[in-house]
Amino acid sequence: MELYNKVIFLTGGSEGIGRECGRAYIKEGARLVIVANDALSLAHAKHEFGQDHLFICCDVGKAHEVEMAFEQTLSKFGRIDCIHNNAGIAHPAKTLDETTDQEWENLMNVNLKGIYHTVKYGIDALKETAGSILNTSSMVGEIGQELHAAYVATKGGINGLTKAMALDYAKYHIRVNAVSPSGVYTPMLHKWKEEQPNPQLIGEYLDAMHPLGYCPNADVVADACVFLLSDRARFITGCIMPVSGGAELGYRSVLATSLENDV
């Protein structure tokens, strides 16, 4: 029970990596506040996780909605021990010059401004508990990615922001870290793979891009998140922890490059 009785404010917690983190946090004894902007997935999460937790429909890009979410959280639980900024979007798949103003704004508002809002309205509560902040980044923030320039910019921004926040809030004994996944299977990735002309080849490519030999499920990210929010990581701050199976290491393998060219 690594997170026993900790109140965790989890954005983007109704789907994908966030939902897997929610499962892991509950297993470790936490009380959750699941914040998401999709009412249907939020209802599904509520059905799975149960009435002991709080579920709030909220757009993290809108300051007043985030402020109200923290008011509801403190009203129900009276404290906040952790903020996990997991909410994020990846679209559009475009070069920078092809990206519209609105697409750029949408990415910045969710992926970066969302963190600004949760910290702005949650930091006082974290000071009371000497809590911690966890941001979900991506390996592409370090190594780049074709046709996702704006998205990559947000993830690189999250990495720098994590380190700056770690310095700013260390005097309050608040730790700030990030997880940096590469490819992980979520329902969205499974769906995308099956929609491709050759799903088997795509699956082989996703496996081959990781030196450990397979593309994992999102529970590997959740395990790392549990550790970083637990007291076992009590002397770790400003860390961008890769959860990548070594995908960022060395040259691409001949097999992976060949598969990519075939796709």
Side-chain angles (χ1 to χ4, degrees), residues 18 47 55-56 63 70 75 93 98-99 101 110 131 147 152 166 184 203 218 224 236 248 257:
H47 177 75
F55 302 85
I56 303 173
F70 276 102
S75 177
E98 295 173 334
T99 303
D101 283 354
V110 175
L147 299 178
V152 169
V184 295
I236 298 174
E248 75 282 12
T257 304

Side-chain angles (χ1 to χ4, degrees), residues 198-259:
N198 191 332
Q200 181 179 346
L201 193 63
I202 292 293
E204 291 171 356
Y205 168 64
L206 290 171
D207 288 341
M209 67 184 283
H210 301 91
L212 287 182
Y214 66 98
C215 182
N217 293 319
D219 61 337
V220 300
V221 182
D223 288 345
C225 291
V226 167
F227 168 71
L228 288 171
L229 291 182
S230 76
D231 291 340
R232 290 182 183 271
R234 62 191 177 276
F235 206 62
I236 298 174
T237 195
C239 173
I240 314 299
M241 179 177 284
V243 188
S244 61
E248 75 282 12
L249 302 175
Y251 290 106
R252 298 285 301 279
S253 71
V254 174
L255 173 60
T257 304
S258 174
L259 286 168

